[in-house]
Amino acid sequence: MCGLIGYVGRRADRNVQEVLLDGLSSLEYRGYDSAGMAVSNSSLAVYKREGDLSALEGALPDEPLDGVAGIGHTRWSTHGSPSDANAHPHTDCTGRVAVAHNGIIDNYRALRESLETDGHEFDSETDTEVIPHLIESALERGDDAETAFRWAIDRLEGSYAVAATYAGHETVYAARNRSPLVVGIDDDGYFLASDVPAFLEYTDAVTYLDDGHVASIRPSGVEITDERGACVDVSVETVEWEPEDAGKSGYEHYTLKEIHEQPRAIRNCLRGRPQELTGDVSIDALEDVERPDRIQFVACGTSYHASLYGARLFRERSVPATAFLASEYDADAVPVDDGTLVVGVTQSGETADTLRALRDANRAGATTLAVTNVVGSSAPRETDHAMYIRAGPEIGVAATKTFVTQQVALAMLSSGLTGERSREVVAALRDLPDRIQSVLDESRARTIASEYAAADAYFVIGRGYSAPVALEGALKMKEITYKHAEGFPAGELKHGPLALVTERTPVFAVISRDSNAETMLGNVNEVASRGAPVIAVTDASEAVAADVDHVLRIPETHRRFTPILANVQLQLVSYWMANQLDRSIDKPRNLAKSVTVE
């Protein structure tokens, strides 16, 4: 959730302060409420401020901080409210050690009480501050810098990615446990970050730390060791993203750019997988995966909505499939055996609840599969198999192109694992990018958003394959407009939600040209008769126009993929409504891009 950046280097044209600020700026999308940095020279220079990165920049001296090693951090509050004191990095009593940390230290209260008994004084309410004081204790008894760092890390319980630097040292020490850390390798410097975009403009050569690894990053190179201090051989990978992929490319917001990138993202997701001549789907990484007896999806938020869609696809192919909220998944309470495939759907590959569910499934004997966007993240490294959605970097906190590519990936997964051969389905998959482009080119979403931006609340309804997209459409509206919105399977309206319908609650109805169309029109009439304005998102505009106030048209496609097109219209409505309401669209309040705590 928080953002972490570290840098060690001696290049004359690349000072540490500049690199840290660039990295923190690239990590703003993760969500934060304060920011800070520490640069090591003969002493430590530590600056941190509540608020946006601009507040930190305003607090820095006119001359760049002098040093070879430094760490920076953007904080998303868990322990203690946003404040200068609670911002990272945190230091020890002597000011010799600075630490930045992502995650949660579960045993911090006991550690803090013990340290206070020993005379340590704390300046913040955070769990993180125990770490520099632990390091200080080890240094006072004579441990060297690396030994002190290891001793402190060994006493932590919980999830963490930790970076530390010391006064008078040219080293950044780092360790992780259930929280992401990636090392960037350049000819003239070395980087550490919670996510690749933090240093992508400098290098695309990376290596990923595993739980229990300790990295010592010096001007002379990077050394990675295990829990016992033994050197670990790690592979260096090349990130396929380009620096411009993480830019706005002239769009007002990353979110709008990423909505418009969906045709390209789908083409990347499809590349080499659907076979037009045979009508089957081939996924190289899953060639040895047999048709499972049952499938359990585990996911959170937007990824859970994609999982609901995926589960329905499998059930249609006669494979029992259920989608679970990862935070509620219990492998001991549901049937799990070697015939069970548990699929973790996670954009970042670092979602804490989803990782915990996958680990439980592994222990229960299931085969596990990660469907994710990030190569080298924790989910694909901890599961038996991985399928990448290939959406490219997504900077906006609210998922857009990653949701669409998750849907497409799960559609291919259902065909591939069940042995389905359908030229009709493959042709529809191939046509999806062009169909979405037509929605983007012709949408009236901006006009609809303007007309209904002042409404009290919004409902989104759908049936069948469209029900998960109704949930997602409402979630997008909540995330970026801050307006109340609810998504329902349309049949559930009469079982309670209809009591909330008034003339000030517009209803967005996803109506596809399938067997549910007539029933959906009945649901539309239920809300219309209570005075609610109805906006149909539909491929059957002629049939429904007389029953609704407005129509957002989508092209005809295979019935499985109609909801994917409808989702794009709902994304655009949410975006333009948030734009009219002057919301912080790319960084919605209280939200973070990657949720790495349970």
Side-chain angles (χ1 to χ4, degrees), residues 56-141:
L56 172 64
E57 292 176 299
L60 292 167
D62 293 335
E63 291 296 319
L65 302 174
D66 186 29
V68 173
I71 57 176
H73 192 266
T74 51
R75 176 178 185 252
W76 190 88
S77 298
T78 55
H79 295 75
S81 60
S83 68
D84 291 353
N86 288 333
H88 297 214
H90 291 286
T91 57
D92 66 321
C93 295
T94 67
R96 290 182 297 169
V97 182
V99 171
H101 157 241
N102 293 348
I104 292 179
I105 306 302
D106 294 336
N107 62 334
Y108 87 97
R109 292 186 186 277
L111 292 171
R112 179 165 178 154
E113 290 173 4
S114 176
L115 288 162
E116 287 176 330
T117 299
D118 291 340
H120 291 265
E121 296 182 1
F122 285 74
D123 296 321
S124 79
E125 304 167 88
T126 68
D127 54 339
T128 303
E129 196 181 353
V130 300
I131 305 173
H133 289 286
L134 287 169
I135 295 173
E136 178 190 4
S137 295
L139 292 173
E140 286 177 345
R141 66 165 180 262

Side-chain angles (χ1 to χ4, degrees), residues 198-375:
F199 54 71
L200 189 56
E201 67 177 285
Y202 297 107
T203 183
D204 60 1
V206 304
T207 188
Y208 297 90
L209 298 187
D210 285 331
D211 287 352
H213 283 177
V214 172
S216 302
I217 304 171
R218 304 181 176 90
S220 58
V222 177
E223 181 182 61
I224 298 177
T225 53
D226 62 18
E227 295 96 329
R228 302 182 304 276
C231 288
V232 176
D233 289 328
V234 293
S235 60
V236 177
E237 302 177 24
T238 300
V239 177
E240 295 182 0
W241 301 344
E242 296 295 331
E244 55 267 26
D245 290 341
K248 289 184 182 177
S249 303
Y251 288 92
E252 185 177 357
H253 296 97
Y254 285 111
T255 301
L256 184 60
K257 170 179 176 271
E258 287 153 5
I259 290 172
H260 280 266
E261 285 177 339
Q262 289 176 130
R264 184 178 71 175
I266 291 176
R267 289 188 182 98
N268 288 338
C269 185
L270 294 173
R271 190 177 63 246
R273 289 165 169 170
Q275 308 300 313
E276 291 187 85
L277 291 178
T278 61
D280 62 359
V281 174
S282 175
I283 304 169
D284 290 344
L286 303 180
E287 286 181 346
D288 60 340
V289 180
E290 297 181 357
R291 180 182 176 120
D293 295 334
R294 69 179 67 86
I295 289 184
Q296 297 168 359
F297 289 92
V298 291
C300 305
T302 288
S303 297
Y304 173 68
H305 298 154
S307 297
L308 289 169
Y309 172 77
R312 190 175 189 93
L313 288 165
F314 274 98
R315 290 196 298 270
E316 187 178 79
R317 299 293 304 151
S318 301
V319 177
T322 308
F324 293 87
L325 286 165
S327 58
E328 295 295 317
Y329 180 75
D330 183 355
D332 294 328
V334 295
V336 175
D337 55 31
D338 58 7
T340 305
L341 177 65
V342 177
V343 181
V345 184
T346 161
Q347 182 280 135
S348 67
E350 302 291 351
T351 310
D353 288 319
T354 304
L355 289 174
R356 194 271 311 157
L358 287 168
R359 290 170 186 139
D360 287 352
N362 272 329
R363 285 192 291 270
T367 301
T368 52
L369 164 67
V371 176
T372 186
N373 192 38
V374 183
V375 176

